[in-house]
Amino acid sequence: MMHALIALVRTQLQLYLKNRKALITHLLMPVLIATFFGSLFGGSGDREMARLKVAWVDEDGSALSQRIGQQLQQDGKLAVQVMTRAEAEAAVRKGERRAALLMPAGFGAQASRWWDRRQLPEVQLWYDPSEALSAQLLEGLLAQHAMRETLAQGFKSGPGAGGLATLESELEASELPPLRREQLKVLARTVNELQTPQPGEGPATAASGGASGGASPGEVLSLPYALKTQALSAGQAGYNGYAHSFSGMGVQFVLMLGVELGVGLLMARRSGMWQRLRAAPLSRGLLLGSHFLSIWIIASVVLLVVMAAGMALFGFRVQGSLPGFLLVVLGMGAFTAGFGLALAAMGGSPEATRGLAIMASLMLVMLGGAWVPSFVFPAWLQDLTLWVPLRWAVDGLDAMTWRGQGLGTAALAAAVLFGSALLLTGLALWRFRWRE
């Protein structure tokens, strides 16, 4: 009995090791997926952060605003591109730039008077609705560079009051000469008076004085501008996580559906159905074309139903072009059909095709942004995945739903999907064998 058991186990192990495609898939895919997610979420902790793509609009043109812009452009955390107001707004709405900073006219003159808070210039920060955390990072970097440059200019041309409110109490214990102590006391009192609102001053000054009517000792060193943040997208509701997740999961499972239908093609060949159909006679192109059309229709309808279910359950809508939305869905259906046929032609048998399909589909889904939105990828990976057709499908559905983009965006995504489907179908016609 034991000998029989050992012989059976040995046979199963030998069969598994002979299936090299399955072996490579089982060993390689965990390594690739673990590497992918490790690189996304910090790796060993020493990788360089992806630079935030930012548009810079300087409508002031003063020396101060130009120096702030130069500091932001030299910051290693940012990839700054100078644009006009219209260009920056369009870039943020389309998701081409994660955020935009707009310096208004008169910023330099108003911000240079950093001790006078009655008139604060209003800086605008526009950001992609999916990039709220990036907007906070940019807000902090702007504050850092603006404060440094403003104070550097202000101490050259105006009073400096940082920390002087507590000077009087410290001077008596100092060893300074009496004349110097008296001069510094006068300076401290003058600065405190400048921080106290006077009758007739505007509400902004009174508000900055706090409940007691006077400013805190460090109030004079607060930001020399007012920041107005606004999320920009062509859609009205902004970023919707459900819209993206249904797009990603819908695309993923439609792709798996195409794989199963492709394997079904090989099962039909194994049963001899293809030989019987060709006896009709029917051409190879007609037979494969019928499978292509059937998979195309099934995949498109399934993806539509998945997206409709998400809209019914969670309330997201097609805020962009409805014809564009349908065009992207049809493009994804065509790509699924071509993908399934190409895998069947490359695999050769149902068993080998399933192993190949696992590796190919997981790679496409992973790099296409179906699991994790592509905007959190490192910058180099965002550029690289533009060669992955599934990236265009997911981004196209996002563009037609929460981003609210027009037909032109959908047409580009659909063109990539239909073109990829055409290449894969041509590969299937070339490589498909009619006998196993």
Side-chain angles (χ1 to χ4, degrees):
M1 181 68 68
M2 183 59 66
H3 292 292
L5 177 62
I6 294 174
L8 289 172
V9 170
R10 184 188 301 115
T11 301
Q12 293 297 325
L13 292 176
Q14 290 174 346
L15 290 173
Y16 175 74
L17 293 175
K18 286 181 180 180
N19 189 348
R20 294 184 179 180
K21 293 180 180 178
L23 181 61
I24 292 174
T25 299
H26 297 159
L27 294 177
L28 185 61
M29 285 312 300
V31 174
L32 291 176
I33 294 176
T35 302
F36 174 76
F37 281 105
S39 65
L40 280 187
F41 301 118
S44 59
D46 57 355
R47 75 178 180 94
E48 184 179 355
M49 179 181 176
R51 302 178 75 183
L52 181 65
K53 295 182 179 179
V54 177
W56 171 256
V57 182
D58 187 359
E59 295 185 338
D60 182 38
S62 65
L64 177 59
S65 64
Q66 290 178 10
R67 286 200 304 272
I68 295 174
Q70 291 171 359
Q71 291 296 322
L72 290 172
Q73 292 176 45
Q74 295 171 5
D75 195 300
K77 301 180 183 66
L78 304 177
V80 179
Q81 182 176 352
V82 179
M83 295 183 175
T84 64
R85 175 190 286 261
E87 291 172 344
E89 182 175 354
V92 175
R93 288 189 185 278
K94 292 179 181 179
E96 296 173 355
R97 293 273 123 181
R98 302 310 182 194
L101 282 171
L102 173 63
M103 307 301 284
F107 171 84
Q110 292 175 314
S112 296
R113 297 177 58 84
W114 50 270
W115 62 89
D116 183 359
R117 294 183 55 83
R118 289 174 296 180
Q119 292 184 342
L120 291 177
E122 185 177 79
V123 177
Q124 296 187 54
L125 193 163
W126 300 329
Y127 64 94
D128 186 292
S130 62
E131 293 285 342
L133 292 178
S134 297
Q136 294 176 13
L137 169 64
L138 183 57
E139 183 177 344
L141 292 175
L142 173 65
Q144 171 188 337
H145 296 301
M147 282 295 293
R148 180 167 61 241
E149 294 299 328
T150 303
L151 290 177
Q153 177 169 312
F155 275 115
K156 294 177 182 178
S157 58
L164 292 176
T166 59
L167 184 58
E168 280 189 316
S169 61
E170 298 174 357
L171 287 174
E172 293 299 332
S174 70
E175 298 180 359
L176 293 173
L179 179 60
R180 179 64 64 187
R181 287 203 303 267
E182 290 301 319
Q183 289 173 336
L184 290 175
K185 285 181 183 180
V186 171
L187 179 59
R189 286 192 294 268
T190 302
V191 171
N192 284 329
E193 290 173 0
L194 287 173
Q195 296 183 75
T196 304
Q198 301 298 320
E201 289 187 335
T205 305
S208 68
S212 63
S216 63
E219 183 73 17
V220 73
L221 290 180
S222 59
L223 293 176
Y225 58 85
L227 184 66
K228 180 181 179 181
T229 60
Q230 182 181 1
L232 292 185
S233 69
Q236 298 178 356
Y239 176 67
N240 190 301
Y242 288 113
H244 175 80
S245 63
F246 271 83
S247 298
M249 292 301 102
V251 163
Q252 174 179 342
F253 282 92
V254 162
L255 196 67
M256 292 181 177
L257 178 149
V259 170
E260 288 303 313
L261 293 177
V263 171
L265 177 67
L266 296 176
M267 297 296 293
R269 184 184 65 181
R270 175 173 289 179
S271 67
M273 182 181 296
W274 283 94
Q275 273 63 35
R276 293 194 295 272
L277 288 174
R278 291 208 68 193
L282 298 173
S283 67
R284 178 181 0 186
L286 182 61
L287 291 174
L288 288 181
S290 66
H291 275 270
F292 178 90
L293 288 175
S294 62
I295 298 174
W296 184 6
I297 293 171
I298 293 170
S300 299
V301 171
V302 168
L303 183 55
L304 275 176
V305 171
V306 170
M307 296 300 294
M311 294 177 191
L313 291 172
F314 300 104
F316 64 88
R317 295 290 181 265
V318 177
Q319 299 187 54
S321 168
L322 181 58
F325 174 77
L326 296 175
L327 190 61
V328 175
V329 170
L330 290 174
M332 181 58 203
F335 175 77
T336 300
F339 180 71
L341 292 179
L343 281 178
M346 296 294 292
S349 68
E351 296 79 12
T353 299
R354 285 194 176 96
L356 181 63
I358 291 174
M359 182 170 63
S361 59
L362 286 181
M363 288 296 294
L364 286 173
V365 169
M366 181 173 64
L367 297 176
W371 290 346
V372 180
S374 58
F375 55 74
V376 304
F377 289 177
W380 65 270
L381 189 57
Q382 292 185 32
D383 296 334
L384 179 64
T385 54
L386 290 176
W387 293 92
V388 179
L390 235 65
R391 164 79 186 275
W392 291 89
V394 175
D395 286 357
L397 292 174
D398 280 351
M400 295 303 103
T401 52
W402 66 269
R403 283 196 184 278
Q405 298 295 310
L407 182 60
T409 303
L412 179 59
V416 173
L417 292 169
F418 280 115
S420 302
L422 184 62
L423 291 175
L424 291 172
T425 304
L427 176 64
L429 285 170
W430 174 48
R431 291 294 303 270
F432 192 78
R433 297 190 301 271
W434 293 94
R435 294 183 180 180
E436 189 171 4

